[in-house]
Amino acid sequence: MSTAERIYDILLAKADAIVRRAADRLDGLIHPDFVYVNAAGRSFDKAGYIETYCTSGRIAFAAQRFSNLSVQEFPGVAEATFIAHDSFIVDGATIAATYQSLCVFVAGPDGWQWIAGQTRTAG
């Protein structure tokens, strides 16, 4: 399996975990030194990301799909850019939005883990 296929599988597993609110599954995909910046410019560490997007209920994902995935591999690091098509509920309102995302992954003894990401509104 190629690195691009592995990264795609991780992104699918991440999307499934946030939709199902499976914090334990999401935890295994994310590196301990994780940092993420969302489209509103808010930064999260690993615990904050899992709490905000998976367990708090403030944002409840109904779906997350990806398109235009491009993966570049370097020794021990892979970067992925893609378009994320999200559907989520905030304050009782369903929102469908499209984002441009960058995710960075590091290779470790247990495989690839997501270590950094940034998302912005596509446009």
Side-chain angles (χ1 to χ4, degrees), residues 20-44:
R20 294 177 186 267
R21 297 186 183 173
D24 57 336
R25 177 74 173 119
L26 189 57
D27 182 74
L29 301 171
I30 299 176
H31 190 276
D33 297 325
F34 178 77
V35 63
Y36 175 75
V37 180
N38 71 8
R42 184 169 173 215
S43 295
F44 300 88

Side-chain angles (χ1 to χ4, degrees), residues 19-101:
V19 168
R20 294 177 186 267
R21 297 186 183 173
D24 57 336
R25 177 74 173 119
L26 189 57
D27 182 74
L29 301 171
I30 299 176
H31 190 276
D33 297 325
F34 178 77
V35 63
Y36 175 75
V37 180
N38 71 8
R42 184 169 173 215
S43 295
F44 300 88
D45 63 6
K46 180 177 180 174
Y49 183 90
I50 292 171
E51 194 270 332
T52 299
Y53 293 103
C54 192
T55 61
S56 71
R58 290 189 303 264
I59 298 172
F61 274 82
Q64 185 174 72
R65 295 178 301 104
F66 307 102
S67 63
N68 298 19
L69 176 65
S70 174
V71 176
Q72 301 297 315
E73 184 179 7
F74 307 94
V77 177
E79 63 180 29
T81 58
F82 56 91
I83 304 295
H85 308 275
D86 293 350
S87 176
F88 53 92
I89 300 167
V90 177
D91 297 328
T94 300
I95 297 171
T98 303
Y99 300 98
Q100 177 70 48
S101 291

Side-chain angles (χ1 to χ4, degrees), residues 7 31 34-35 76-80 102-106 112-118:
I7 297 304
H31 190 276
F34 178 77
V35 63
V77 177
E79 63 180 29
L102 166 71
C103 294
V104 180
F105 299 84
V106 292
W112 292 97
Q113 283 190 303
W114 186 22
I115 193 166
Q118 183 171 9

